[in-house]
Amino acid sequence: MRRFGVVALSLALTACAAIAPRPQAPPIPVVIASTWSWQGRISVKSGEEAFSGQLQWQHDPAGDTLMLASPLGQGVAKIVRNSSGVVLDIPGEAPRQAPTVEALTADALGYVLPAAGLAYWMQAQADPSSPFEATRDELGRPARISQEGWSIEYLQYQADNPNQPRRLILTRDGLEIRLVTDSWQAE
C-alpha cells in the first residue's frame, strides 16, 4: 500500500509538471522615438508594375523628408512634409503639392505610401490614432499588425536592437511594400 502511495504521488507530481505553463520570455521594453532617421531598401509591387530602390527617411514631429533612389543611388523622388503640406519633387517634372503624403503618392506614384502609419509601424508599433489588431512573437514583439486596411508583417528584427524591425512587408489591396533596414538612428 505504501508503494502505491509513493507511485501515485509521483504520478500526480509528474502530471502537474506536465501541465504547468512554460515560462514566457519577459516583454522587451518599448520606446517610441519621435525623431529618427532610417536608411534602407524598398520594393513596391502593384499588379504587373514593380519598383525597387533605396529609401532615406528623416522623421521628426514637425515633418518628414523621404528620398527615393534607384538601386544604384540615382535620385528618383523627394517628398517633404511640413506644416504647409507635402511637396513631391521628381527630376525633370514640376513639383507637386498635396495635403498628405498618402494623397500625393497615390496621385503621383500610382500607389499610396502610408507615411502616417509607417512612422509607427517601422518602430514595431501600431498608430495610436486608429484601431488595430496585432499578433505577437515569443518575445512580445509584433509579428503582424493589421491597421487601416494594411497588413504589416514583421519578418526579422535587428540583432543589435531587438525592438527595431529589420525586414517588414506591408500589403493592402494588391499592393506590396517590402522594407529592409540598413541603418536606424533615433535622435
Side-chain angles (χ1 to χ4, degrees):
M1 181 76 161
R2 184 174 182 180
R3 183 177 236 188
F4 176 77
V6 171
V7 170
L9 180 60
S10 174
L11 287 173
L13 291 175
T14 303
C16 288
I19 56 175
R22 290 184 10 208
Q24 300 245 350
I28 296 172
V30 175
V31 176
I32 299 295
S34 61
T35 302
W36 46 265
S37 61
W38 183 92
Q39 291 183 333
R41 290 163 278 152
I42 184 171
S43 69
V44 179
K45 184 177 179 187
S46 178
E48 298 296 316
E49 295 184 34
F51 166 82
S52 64
Q54 301 172 25
L55 176 62
Q56 295 180 355
W57 188 351
Q58 294 286 132
H59 173 80
D60 66 50
D64 294 285
T65 301
L66 293 94
M67 298 186 61
L68 287 165
S70 72
L72 298 175
Q74 182 179 359
V76 174
K78 179 179 179 181
I79 300 170
V80 176
R81 179 189 66 84
N82 58 33
S83 61
S84 301
V86 183
V87 176
L88 170 66
D89 282 318
I90 297 176
E93 295 184 18
R96 295 185 187 189
Q97 294 183 317
T100 66
V101 172
E102 292 80 2
L104 187 64
T105 56
D107 178 52
L109 303 177
Y111 58 87
V112 174
L113 182 62
L118 193 54
Y120 291 95
W121 302 335
M122 291 178 68
Q123 297 185 72
Q125 296 296 310
D127 181 344
S129 69
S130 65
F132 68 94
E133 292 180 12
T135 58
R136 302 202 174 269
D137 67 12
E138 65 279 354
L139 297 177
R141 305 172 300 193
R144 180 185 302 264
I145 293 175
S146 298
Q147 190 170 35
E148 296 290 326
W150 288 94
S151 174
I152 304 91
E153 185 175 354
Y154 296 90
L155 303 176
Q156 181 183 20
Y157 283 85
Q158 301 278 359
D160 61 343
N161 183 355
N163 281 327
Q164 181 59 45
R166 165 111 171 94
R167 294 183 333 135
L168 58 150
I169 299 175
L170 293 80
T171 55
R172 178 181 177 182
D173 301 330
L175 176 66
E176 178 182 275
I177 301 172
R178 292 179 175 261
L179 297 166
V180 177
T181 301
D182 292 329
S183 171
W184 164 268
Q185 184 70 41
E187 300 168 15

